[in-house]
Amino acid sequence: MKAYELLFFVAPTLDEESRAAVMKRIETTVTDAKGTIDNVDEWGKRKLAYEINGLTDGDYTLIDFHADPADVAELDRILRITDAVVRHMIVKRTDRD
């Protein structure tokens, strides 16, 4: 298992139920592939550097997790097709292996 970090943001106008559904989808994708979620850090509402899809703010969440590299590709695919997630980035953390 390798250590990864996922940072994503959703629209700040998104209701709490939809945000929870996105988090649940991420958790089940990681845990179904025998991965573990180490830490979830909700950053809250932050100003974007530039406007994206008419948004100037985003509600950010940072997730530290361990997973196999093949399963990270599946998580990336799921985040791409999830309409609530505006942008996301998954980074391999070599300092946490």
Side-chain angles (χ1 to χ4, degrees):
M1 296 268 174
K2 303 280 185 190
Y4 292 93
E5 177 175 276
L6 164 63
L7 179 67
F8 72 94
F9 77 90
V10 296
T13 56
L14 196 66
D15 59 294
E16 191 59 37
E17 188 175 295
S18 298
R19 258 178 80 28
V22 170
M23 280 300 302
K24 184 69 175 167
R25 183 124 190 230
I26 292 170
E27 287 176 13
T28 55
T29 303
V30 171
T31 55
D32 285 352
K34 307 293 187 272
T36 59
I37 293 183
D38 304 324
N39 186 31
V40 176
D41 188 13
E42 295 187 14
W43 289 3
K45 187 176 173 182
R46 302 264 175 130
K47 191 99 170 126
L48 300 178
Y50 53 90
E51 188 175 304
I52 299 173
N53 298 340
L55 297 173
T56 57
D57 296 321
D59 199 355
Y60 283 83
T61 304
L62 177 71
I63 302 173
D64 295 322
F65 65 99
H66 281 78
D68 288 324
D71 300 325
V72 173
E74 175 64 14
L75 177 61
D76 185 52
R77 185 191 70 79
I78 287 173
L79 288 169
R80 285 178 197 269
I81 63 173
T82 304
D83 291 335
V85 177
V86 180
R87 292 281 195 278
H88 73 279
M89 181 185 295
I90 302 173
V91 179
K92 182 177 172 186
R93 296 293 307 257
T94 56
D95 58 334
R96 294 187 184 168
D97 280 340

